[in-house]
Amino acid sequence: MLIRRLCTPSKALRQVWHCQQVAVKCPSLFRAERFAIHPGPGRTATATMSASTIQKDKPSKMQAKFCKQCGGTITFSIPEGDQEWRHVCTSCGFIDYYNPKMVVGCIVEHKGKLMLCKRAIDPCKGKWTLPAGFMELNESSMAGARRETAEEANANVEVVAPYAHLDIPTIAQTYIIFRARLAEPYTYSAGTESLAVQFFEPHEIPFDQLAFSSVAITLEHYLQDCKQGTFHIHHGVIDKRPASSPNDPTTFTLRDHVAIPTQMPAKL
């Protein structure tokens, strides 16, 4: 049932408050229905919302100021039928969607050791990480993981199996890590984004000098799998404290962890 009324801004605010109360007391009334509030004559703004979006806070930071289509001004708005604040052009109505970034990389094994790269760029310059980076357009996640390893470690690798899928909602990133083996010609060296590339024995991994929470969690599970003798495919969500450092162990936790055993024996 649609409720459309001409009202002053103060009445509009009261109407939103009223619907919030109704939504709490009678949630069944808001399963599919929506209501629209139209300001009085002479006003152009139209606020369209549902009970599920009334409580959403408007983002404080914009990702863009101008429209990709026409160059018009971008503003925050909740489009009709949507539940999220979007970047919307005030001139042509184009909606510019911003979605989480995908990071892909490899755990590279060679002669019982694991490859780590010392970062030459911020964030976390000088700390150790797995060879990984943002996935590009027109490539698969596996191809992106091999490319990133080639760029950061000048190494050719053979991907063996998927290993970890970790979501970090706080920073809008998803990590997909593959197990891989160093391949011919079995050479490696520091790429432009690395200060050094080194293979570590499992007990030598410098956990106190790792760059990112995703890397620490992935390596911890990898060593556990090796100890148990069976590899798993891991999935989980990393909850980070807002504005925390990338790998302060006191500021992040792993939740909803799922580990699916594979038939591949863990060997180092």
Side-chain angles (χ1 to χ4, degrees):
M1 177 178 64
L2 287 176
I3 304 174
R4 299 182 179 272
R5 295 180 179 175
L6 295 177
C7 55
T8 64
S10 59
K11 288 183 179 180
L13 292 174
R14 290 200 298 271
Q15 189 175 12
V16 171
W17 180 87
H18 172 72
C19 289
Q20 285 178 305
Q21 306 309 308
V22 174
V24 172
K25 297 179 181 179
C26 305
S28 61
L29 294 178
F30 288 85
R31 287 174 182 169
E33 293 80 1
R34 303 174 62 83
F35 67 91
I37 303 172
H38 298 271
R43 301 182 181 273
T44 57
T46 300
T48 304
M49 60 190 76
S50 66
S52 61
T53 61
I54 290 174
Q55 302 289 350
K56 287 187 177 294
D57 293 330
K58 185 176 180 179
S60 59
K61 182 179 179 181
M62 298 192 70
Q63 301 296 325
K65 295 182 179 180
F66 302 104
C67 178
K68 295 178 181 178
Q69 301 283 59
C70 72
T73 302
I74 292 289
T75 187
F76 279 127
S77 177
I78 302 179
E80 186 172 0
D82 205 334
Q83 297 183 357
E84 302 289 340
W85 289 94
R86 306 293 184 187
H87 292 70
V88 182
C89 178
T90 58
S91 298
C92 69
F94 173 72
I95 303 173
D96 200 350
Y97 292 96
Y98 287 86
N99 304 109
K101 298 287 188 178
M102 183 175 291
V103 178
V104 292
C106 292
I107 299 181
V108 183
E109 313 159 7
H110 185 59
K111 296 182 178 180
K113 299 181 180 181
L114 302 178
M115 174 189 284
L116 293 179
C117 301
K118 180 175 284 189
R119 290 178 60 81
I121 59 175
D122 285 321
C124 299
K125 182 178 179 179
K127 293 187 177 294
W128 294 95
T129 185
L130 296 172
F134 290 115
M135 181 176 167
E136 299 285 1
L137 296 175
N138 302 313
E139 71 178 0
S140 67
S141 56
M142 184 183 295
R146 293 182 72 249
R147 174 186 54 75
E148 285 291 340
T149 304
E151 291 178 357
E152 297 187 6
N154 290 316
N156 182 36
V157 297
E158 174 192 356
V159 173
V160 176
Y163 185 69
H165 175 168
L166 301 171
D167 297 321
I168 313 181
T170 305
I171 58 174
Q173 291 183 3
T174 288
Y175 282 72
I176 297 181
I177 304 297
F178 294 88
R179 286 183 55 229
R181 288 191 290 255
L182 190 65
E184 293 183 352
Y186 304 107
T187 57
Y188 59 92
S189 61
T192 57
E193 296 184 0
S194 301
L195 295 173
V197 178
Q198 182 177 334
F199 277 91
F200 289 84
E201 295 281 358
H203 66 276
E204 295 176 338
I205 294 176
F207 278 94
D208 61 337
Q209 300 175 44
L210 294 180
F212 306 111
S213 57
S214 55
V215 173
I217 288 174
T218 298
L219 288 172
E220 286 172 357
H221 286 302
Y222 188 94
L223 296 186
Q224 289 175 8
D225 284 353
C226 290
K227 185 179 296 185
Q228 295 173 5
T230 303
F231 279 120
H232 295 73
I233 296 176
H234 297 270
H235 180 273
V237 179
I238 300 176
D239 282 332
K240 296 178 67 72
R241 184 186 302 166
S244 62
S245 64
N247 191 31
D248 181 347
T250 67
T251 61
F252 67 85
T253 56
L254 179 67
R255 63 175 170 87
D256 300 335
H257 177 226
V258 176
I260 302 174
T262 70
Q263 300 302 316
M264 302 179 65
K267 294 180 181 179
L268 273 177

